[in-house]
Amino acid sequence: MEFKKITVGPLTSINNLVYHLSKQFLEIRTDYLLGKRPVFKLDFSDIKSHSISLPALASLLSVGKKLSEFIGYPIPVITIWEPHTLAFLHQTNFIQIAKKLNIFSFEDDIDGWSWFTADRPLNPNTKLLYFGDVKPISHFDPSEIGTQKALHKQKLISNLKLRCSAVFNGFNNKLENTLYNTLLELIVNSLMHGQEFAFVALQRSSKGITIAVCDSGIGFKRSLQQTFSYPQLNELKDEEAILIGSLIQKEIHGLRLAISEVLRYRENDFELKNEGWVTISSYGAEIRWQKRAWREALNHFEQLDLNHQKPSISDIFDPIYHGQIDEEALENGYCRTYNHFLVGTRISFEIKF
């Protein structure tokens, strides 16, 4: 029987994961189209506890879930037996979630390493969660979607607060409300618009808090086409879909308001000093929102008639990146497209203290 090893890389960021997995996943799809059925193994050998990104772990769970369902079995993991790394994967509940959802299978004695956390108490500022109450918007009339999203948020809020209270401990009420409102919006979008499980990463430091919500769902493009009837949505590039999806909800608490709250964007703020960021990756494109790019996008969208035209990405982002991102782009915001992609949507954001 043929075995095929999938290397996940060091998992230092979501971008790093996309770089390492997208081409390998394309080869897997090609193999299956050609009738090949190799047994896959996931190689964790490059990951180290001191550099693991929680958003990358959440993204790995989401794409791993999709692949394991596609091939029909939990993906075996080649593990590096390094105590600190294994303890970290136990502490964050990565191993527990992967086993419970039959995403990955580990060697039998991996649970024995959870003892290593005994002298290193669980870090309350680092956590992985998942939500599986999927309610596809296709089940509802378009006029009901806003109400159904609000009901779903109301159903989830108590559970979310219970599970996040340790991470958010000590925050002022305004920051805490921003985090909960944003998290609820992203989780419910994964469950209803993405039509898939939502995997959540929470990572707090002395400088700020980073949160990611990842799914392996249908992505921005198909979700917009299912939700809205604008003819211009029938032929969209992934970057155009991310842009429209970020801005289209004007009247209700949606992604548009969530991004403005995370960025702490104010219309008359001429200094545009960054206080956070939002990065959205969906299929073949990625957009990073910073205040400067967000202002340009808001102004551009106000002049846009989706019945007759699509947004012009180059009016907001110039150049469009295809590889390495420079420091200026990180500060101003950027758009990047990929030759290979991972299914689903990954939204990460940071708020600085």
Side-chain angles (χ1 to χ4, degrees), residues 211-275:
I211 295 175
V213 179
C214 307
D215 67 62
S216 57
I218 63 175
F220 271 76
K221 184 161 57 176
R222 284 183 57 196
S223 175
L224 286 170
Q225 291 165 351
Q226 289 184 4
T227 309
F228 300 97
S229 57
Y230 296 110
Q232 297 299 322
L233 301 182
N234 293 328
E235 294 183 9
L236 284 178
K237 297 178 181 178
D238 288 319
E239 59 270 29
E240 293 170 339
I242 294 173
L243 174 60
I244 294 172
S246 297
L247 291 154
I248 198 168
Q249 293 175 309
K250 296 182 181 181
E251 309 301 330
I252 59 175
H253 190 291
L255 187 55
R256 178 174 175 147
L257 181 56
I259 292 172
S260 288
E261 288 182 340
V262 169
L263 298 181
R264 300 174 188 175
Y265 178 80
R266 296 170 295 281
E267 188 173 346
N268 297 320
D269 179 7
F270 298 104
E271 186 179 358
L272 296 180
K273 182 179 178 181
N274 290 324
E275 300 174 77

Side-chain angles (χ1 to χ4, degrees), residues 5-291:
K5 184 171 70 173
I6 305 169
T7 303
V8 302
L11 297 178
T12 53
S13 66
I14 289 178
N15 286 329
N16 181 267
L17 183 72
V18 173
Y19 173 80
H20 280 87
L21 288 189
S22 58
K23 186 175 182 180
Q24 296 178 90
F25 276 26
L26 176 62
E27 293 172 356
I28 292 170
R29 289 192 291 271
T30 302
D31 280 346
Y32 268 72
L33 287 173
L34 295 174
K36 299 179 182 178
R37 296 294 186 271
V39 174
F40 299 99
K41 290 190 175 183
L42 215 61
D43 187 359
F44 278 23
S45 298
D46 291 337
I47 66 175
K48 302 291 184 292
S49 61
H50 65 275
S51 60
I52 299 175
S53 158
L54 260 290
L57 281 182
S59 184
L60 179 59
L61 286 169
S62 70
V63 296
K65 178 177 180 293
K66 178 66 74 174
L67 179 58
S68 64
E69 291 172 347
F70 178 66
I71 63 179
Y73 56 84
I75 308 163
V77 171
I78 301 170
T79 309
I80 180 170
W81 294 98
E82 196 278 310
H84 295 283
T85 300
L86 292 175
F88 185 86
L89 295 178
H90 275 290
Q91 283 189 336
T92 57
N93 287 323
F94 175 85
I95 291 174
Q96 295 89 322
I97 292 172
K99 291 173 69 174
K100 182 177 182 179
L101 298 180
N102 293 316
I103 299 172
F104 306 129
S105 63
F106 302 90
E107 297 178 56
D108 292 338
D109 51 351
I110 196 169
D111 288 333
W113 286 88
S114 60
W115 67 268
F116 197 76
T117 65
D119 295 330
R120 295 164 176 77
L122 181 65
N123 181 358
N125 298 327
T126 304
K127 184 170 290 190
L128 287 171
L129 312 170
Y130 76 91
F131 295 83
D133 189 9
V134 177
K135 286 191 175 182
I137 57 170
S138 56
H139 292 183
F140 304 105
D141 185 270
S143 63
E144 296 181 291
I145 291 174
T147 301
Q148 290 298 326
K149 284 185 68 175
L151 290 173
H152 213 18
K153 289 179 182 179
Q154 188 176 15
K155 178 181 177 181
L156 292 176
I157 184 60
S158 295
N159 179 272
L160 184 65
K161 286 186 173 182
L162 179 66
R163 298 166 77 181
C164 295
S165 59
V167 182
F168 296 168
N169 183 42
F171 290 167
N172 62 54
N173 289 338
K174 184 178 181 180
L175 176 56
E176 189 173 353
N177 286 336
T178 295
L179 291 171
Y180 280 125
N181 288 337
T182 304
L183 255 177
L184 278 172
E185 175 65 21
L186 300 184
I187 291 167
V188 171
N189 281 351
S190 289
L191 298 173
M192 296 186 69
H193 291 283
Q195 303 176 29
E196 254 295 352
F197 279 37
F199 293 91
V200 179
L202 304 139
Q203 197 162 23
R204 176 179 172 181
S205 70
S206 59
K207 297 181 180 178
I209 182 164
T210 303
I211 295 175
V213 179
C214 307
D215 67 62
S216 57
I218 63 175
F220 271 76
K221 184 161 57 176
R222 284 183 57 196
S223 175
L224 286 170
Q225 291 165 351
Q226 289 184 4
T227 309
F228 300 97
S229 57
Y230 296 110
Q232 297 299 322
L233 301 182
N234 293 328
E235 294 183 9
L236 284 178
K237 297 178 181 178
D238 288 319
E239 59 270 29
E240 293 170 339
I242 294 173
L243 174 60
I244 294 172
S246 297
L247 291 154
I248 198 168
Q249 293 175 309
K250 296 182 181 181
E251 309 301 330
I252 59 175
H253 190 291
L255 187 55
R256 178 174 175 147
L257 181 56
I259 292 172
S260 288
E261 288 182 340
V262 169
L263 298 181
R264 300 174 188 175
Y265 178 80
R266 296 170 295 281
E267 188 173 346
N268 297 320
D269 179 7
F270 298 104
E271 186 179 358
L272 296 180
K273 182 179 178 181
N274 290 324
E275 300 174 77
W277 50 258
V278 178
T279 301
I280 304 175
S281 168
S282 185
Y283 282 76
E286 172 186 285
I287 287 179
R288 178 181 172 106
W289 292 119
Q290 295 279 34
K291 281 183 178 177

